[in-house]
Amino acid sequence: MTDNCWVGRLHAPQHVLYGDDIEYEQEFLYRQPRNVEELRAVVVAAQEDPWAGWACDGDARWTSSLVREWWHERGRLREWIAAKHCRWSDSDREDEREAATGLLDYRAYLDGELRNHLRAYCYFLDNRVNPEPGDHLPVL
């Protein structure tokens, strides 16, 4: 159980968005924190959920083949981002208009750094250690 109170972006706007799950637009993490400051912001965002509904079990659920499958279907994500951005950017609600800016950030991440981040994640999933400089990262 979780809440859909939309407080995650108040604390971690470069990491949190709201999704189409059920009818609640619940919070989700779209980018992993890259340093201690970002990690603190994400932890605070998670702590703001009064039901403690954020899960942290992705490493037990994802496999490199599932990551590749998700990556190959990323066109669906681009369509979702575009439709949601169109709706939220013209909203009467200030929080939806603010979240629309996060959708643009998510799209830029999808078109930019995410590929290499997912390659490193596949390496981790296959080897259970983070890649070191010079390690060969798997192909998506």
Side-chain angles (χ1 to χ4, degrees), residues 19-114:
D20 280 338
D21 52 320
I22 313 171
E23 65 269 3
Y24 294 112
E25 302 279 10
Q26 293 175 347
E27 298 173 354
F28 69 92
L29 198 66
Y30 73 93
R31 181 184 1 238
Q32 293 293 319
R34 295 165 287 193
N35 57 49
V36 173
E37 182 180 305
E38 290 180 1
L39 178 60
R40 283 189 187 113
V42 167
V43 169
V44 170
Q47 289 173 333
E48 288 295 312
D49 183 339
W51 298 101
W54 284 40
C56 57
D57 59 352
D59 295 346
R61 298 179 180 275
W62 283 97
T63 64
S64 55
S65 63
L66 287 173
V67 171
R68 284 184 190 90
E69 181 180 322
W70 181 91
W71 180 251
H72 289 289
E73 295 180 12
R74 69 190 176 281
R76 290 180 30 218
L77 176 58
R78 284 186 119 285
E79 292 171 6
W80 176 83
I81 289 171
K84 179 77 68 179
H85 182 266
C86 184
R87 190 168 72 236
W88 281 353
S89 62
D90 290 334
S91 174
D92 293 335
R93 290 179 43 185
E94 183 178 343
D95 58 350
E96 287 184 350
R97 289 191 310 273
E98 188 285 323
T101 65
L103 290 166
L104 295 179
D105 184 48
Y106 191 14
R107 185 179 64 198
Y109 181 52
L110 179 67
D111 293 341
E113 297 178 299
L114 183 55

Side-chain angles (χ1 to χ4, degrees), residues 57-68 117-131 137-138 140:
D57 59 352
D59 295 346
R61 298 179 180 275
W62 283 97
T63 64
S64 55
S65 63
L66 287 173
V67 171
R68 284 184 190 90
H117 289 173
L118 290 178
R119 291 178 67 208
Y121 186 50
C122 285
Y123 183 96
F124 170 82
L125 290 171
D126 292 341
N127 300 287
R128 293 300 171 184
V129 297
N130 289 322
L137 297 179
L140 286 180

